[in-house]
Amino acid sequence: MRDKNKRTLMAFVFILVSVIGLNCFTLTYAATEKPAYKVLFISSYHAGFDTLPAQIEGMKRVFDEANISLDIDYMDTKRVDTEENYDNYFKFLKFRLDQDLKYDVILVGDDNGLQFLMDHRENLVPDIPIVFFCINDLERATLANNMSNVTGIVEGISLKANLDLAVKLFPNAKKIYGIVDNSPTGKGDASSFMLAADSYSDYQFELLNASNYTLESFKQKLASLNASDIVFYMSYFEDSTGNNYDIDEATAIISETVKAPVFRMSIGGVGNGLLGGNMVSYEEQGRLAANMAVSIIKGENPNDIHMIQESPNKVIFDYEIMTRYGLKIDDLPKGSIILNKPIDYFQLYKNILMPAIGILIVLMFFIAILIVDNMKLKAKDKMLYENNLELAALNEEMIASEEELRDQYDRLTDSQKSLYESEERYRVLAFTDTLTGLSNRTALMLYLDGFVIDESKKWALLYIDIDNFKYINDSSGHEVGDSILRQIGNRLRLFENKYAFLSRLGGDEFVMVVEREGVSNEEENLHSANFFVKEVMAQIEKVIEVQGLLFYLTCSVGISNYPEDGKDKAMLLRKADMAMYQAKFAGRSRFLYFDEQMELAFSQKLTIQNQIRFALSSNQFLLYYQPQYDLRTNEMIGSEALIRWRDGSGSFIPPSVFIPIAEEQGLIQMIGSWVYEEAANHARSWFEKTGKRLNISVNVSALELSDEQFADSFIEIINRYGLEPEQVAVEITESILIVAKDKAIAHLLRLKEKGIKVHLDDFGAGYSSLNYMISLPLDVVKIDRQFITDMIVDTRYEDMVRFIIDISHCYGLQVIAEGVETQEQLEKLRSMNCDIIQGYHYAKPMPFDALIEFGQMKG
C-alpha cells in the first residue's frame, strides 16, 4: 500500500512539472462586450497611404482596450484633390449622418480633412466633438483649436533635433544637402532647411531640388556627392518631366546612388537603405488622439484639453546602415529604435531555456526514483509469477467447461464487429478524402456548423493552396502530383489536435480550423497566430522527393477570423479564400489576413480578368522595345519586346498586375500568341523600312512551355513572316525550369535546331545553378539588374558579376547585363569583357515607331 501511494505521488508530481513546462499554442480570445461608444476617423488620404497603418494601429490599441467601436472613412485627396471629390464626400457623409448614425467623437487626420470639417461643420457635425492630428499647418490647427469642442495634435518635424544629431554623429562633415522638390510640402521643407543654416555656420548648406532634374540627371547628381557629406531626404515626389514617385521608389533611388549617410525625418525609407533620424511617430499621434477621444467620452470638456504642439517623435536607425558608416548603438540617444539589429539568441530564448533546464533536472531526479522503484516491483512480480504457476494448474480444470460458452460468445462478438466495421466503412467514405485520408469538404462543413452554433468560441480559418501545383501535374503527371499531395497531408497532420481540425477541399487546397484561446493580450495573440501559420508553411516547404525527383514547394495562406470577419461559415470560407488569392497575387509564399480592402482588390482583379479578352480584341495591348548594345562596337544589335496594356481611359496597367491573372485564367497563351505575331510583324516592317535585319527577343511563360504544340506554333509564326531564325530569341526564367523542366528542355531543343536563340533571363534572382549552363540549350545568360546596381557599392557583387561573365564565356555563352543606368556601371562591365548591355543608360523601352526613329538616329 505504501508503494502504491508513493507511485501515485510521483505520478502527480511528474504531471504537475510537465504541465508547468508545457507551452501549448492556442488561439482563443476572451469574449468582449458589445462596444457602447462609437468614434468616426476621417482620413484625408486613401487606405494604402504610407502613414495610415501606423495611425490606425495607435488608435486601435486605445479603443480596443476601452471597448470603443472605430469606423474609418478615406477622402483620398492625395490622389484626387478636386472640388468634385470634396463635394461627393460631403454628400456621402451627410447621407450617412442623416440615417441616424450617431458618433460620440470624430477624429480627423491630416490638413485636407481638417479644413473640410472646418468648412462644413455646421452642416454636418455641429455638436459632435472633434479631435485632429497629423496637422502640418500650425496656423490652421490654431484656428481649429479656437473653435468650440475642438482640440488636437500638431505634426512637427524636428529639423533642428535631426541636424544636431547629424553633426554629432559625423563631426568631420563640411556640407549638408537637403533633398526637396517643387510640391507644396517640398517648398516648405526647402524654406525650413535654409532657415536652419543660420544656426550652423561651420557647415555649407545646399538644396538638391529633384523637380529641376530628370531621373537620370538627378541620379548622376546624387552619385557625385562625397561620402563625407550629410544628406537629408525631406521630400521627393516629382521630377522635371512630371514623373511622380512614392516614398519607396524615392528611397530606392536615393539609397542606390548616394554614398553619404542619408537622414530621414518622416515615415518611410529607414530599414530600406536610409540611415535614420528623429522621426515623426504616426502610431504615437494616433494613440494620443485616441486618448483625447476617450477623455471626451468620459466627460471631459474638449475646450479644457490643450492642443499638443510638440510632435511625438522617435529616434529610429537602421543597424546595417550604421555599420556601413562605423556608428555604434552607444553613439545614439538612449531609447533609440534600432532596425535590422542582429538577433542575440541567448537573450531571445533565455526565459525559455532556464526554466527548461530546471525542469529537466527535476525530471531526471524523479526518473532515478522511478528506476529504483521499478527494480523493486520486478522482484515482487517474480514472486507473484511463481505463485501464479500454482494457480494455473487449478484453472486448467475450469477452462474445459467454459470453452463452449466462450465459443458462443465469440460468434456473437464477431457478428457485432462485422456490423460495426460496415457502418464505420460507410462513415469513413462519406467524410474522408480518399487520396490523403484527411477529412473532406462534407466533414469540414459539419464541423463548422458546431463552431458557428457555439458563439462562446473564437476561431480562425486557414485556407492553404500550393503554389504553381498545376505546373507539376502538367509537367510530371497526376501520379506524381497525387503522391505530393499525400505527403503534404501527412505533414499537416502534425498540427491536428483538439484545437485544430484539418481537411482537404480538393485539388491542392487544404483548410484548417484553429481555436483561439489562452492568450489574452492582443499583440501576443497575433504573434502566436503568426508563428503557428509560419510553422504550417515551413512543413509544406520542406523538400519532397517522388520517383527520384526533388520538388521545392511553397504555399499561399489566407486567414479569416470568427466572429470578426463574419458568423456565416460560407462567408468565412469565401473571405479566407479571397485572402489566399490576394497572397498569391502579392507574390506567393506568404500568408495574409482578410481585410475589407481585399473585396475591392478582388473586384478589381475580376475586372482585369474580364477585360483581358476585350483588350486583345480592341488592340489595347502594345509592344515596347528596349535596345541592346554590343559593348565592343557600341552598336545596337537587337531589342527586347515588352508587352504594355493601355486601357480605354489611356492609363497603363503594369504587366506585373495582369500577367499573373492571365496565367491563372489560362489566357497567357492568347497573349503570348499576340506578342509573337506582333513582334514578327514589326521585325518584317523594320526590314522593309530600313533594309536591315532587326534582332528581337520575346519572353515565354511556364504555362506556354507546358503546351505540347508550343515549339511548332512558334516556328510557324517565324516562317510565315519571313524572318531568319537567327534573328529571333526566346527569353526564359529559372522558375520555368523548376516547374516544367522536362517539357521546357524539349521545346528549347526544338527551337535551337531551327536556329532560334535561347536566353536565360534574370540569372541570379532565383535558384541560380551553374548546372543550367551545362544541361540547358542556352545561347545567352542575362545577369539580373540587382547585381548590376549593387556591384557599384559592394565589391562582393562586383566579384559575382565578373565570375558569371567568366564562367559563361567558358561554356561559350554570351552575357547581357540588364538595368545598366550609369556610365560607371558601363565602364566596369566593359572592363569585365561583358558582351551586351541593356538599360536606361542608352534607352528606355519605347513604341515601335519611336524605335525606328531611334535606330535611324543611332545608325
Side-chain angles (χ1 to χ4, degrees), residues 41 225 254 292 297 545 565 749 816:
F41 169 47
L225 304 183
I254 294 170
M292 288 182 172
I297 289 174
E545 181 176 358
D565 296 326
L749 288 171
I816 297 178

Side-chain angles (χ1 to χ4, degrees), residues 74-182:
Y74 303 100
M75 296 177 65
D76 204 10
T77 62
K78 189 71 174 179
R79 298 186 295 191
V80 189
D81 191 14
T82 64
E83 289 297 329
E84 182 181 6
N85 184 30
Y86 286 102
D87 184 55
N88 288 337
Y89 183 69
F90 172 82
K91 294 175 181 177
F92 163 74
L93 186 57
K94 178 69 173 172
F95 175 79
R96 286 181 60 191
L97 295 173
D98 288 346
Q99 305 306 306
D100 200 27
L101 186 61
K102 302 299 184 183
Y103 291 100
D104 298 282
V105 179
I106 291 181
L107 299 181
V108 59
D110 297 290
D111 296 77
N112 290 348
L114 177 59
Q115 189 62 52
F116 172 81
L117 285 184
M118 292 170 67
D119 294 340
H120 299 290
R121 186 182 185 192
E122 291 302 321
N123 293 325
L124 291 175
V125 288
D127 301 321
I128 302 178
I130 296 174
V131 177
F132 59 81
F133 64 103
C134 291
I135 305 302
N136 296 304
D137 190 335
L138 178 61
E139 183 178 351
R140 179 183 286 122
T142 303
L143 289 174
N145 187 59
N146 291 333
M147 299 173 70
S148 177
N149 281 348
V150 179
T151 186
I153 307 164
V154 178
E155 175 185 325
I157 294 175
S158 180
L159 178 58
K160 184 178 185 306
N162 277 282
L163 286 168
D164 289 343
L165 181 59
V167 299
K168 175 185 176 183
L169 296 177
F170 299 98
N172 296 325
K174 300 299 181 184
K175 281 189 175 184
I176 302 178
Y177 293 91
I179 298 176
V180 298
D181 61 8
N182 284 339

Side-chain angles (χ1 to χ4, degrees), residues 328-380:
K328 300 178 180 178
I329 296 178
D330 292 340
D331 298 332
L332 304 181
K334 290 185 178 180
S336 298
I337 298 173
I338 309 299
L339 305 181
N340 297 326
K341 183 180 178 182
I343 299 174
D344 187 337
Y345 288 98
F346 177 78
Q347 292 296 325
L348 182 62
Y349 297 111
K350 180 174 65 176
N351 294 334
I352 298 175
L353 290 175
M354 298 306 295
I357 293 173
I359 291 171
L360 181 61
I361 293 172
V362 173
L363 289 177
M364 292 178 64
F365 172 75
F366 282 106
I367 288 172
I369 295 176
L370 288 173
I371 291 173
V372 173
D373 190 61
N374 188 52
M375 293 173 64
K376 294 179 180 179
L377 287 174
K378 285 184 177 180
K380 292 181 179 180

Side-chain angles (χ1 to χ4, degrees), residues 28-29 31 451 453-458 562:
T28 298
Y29 296 97
F451 272 70
I453 292 173
D454 187 358
E455 295 186 353
S456 66
K457 291 185 177 181
K458 291 191 174 185
Y562 175 93

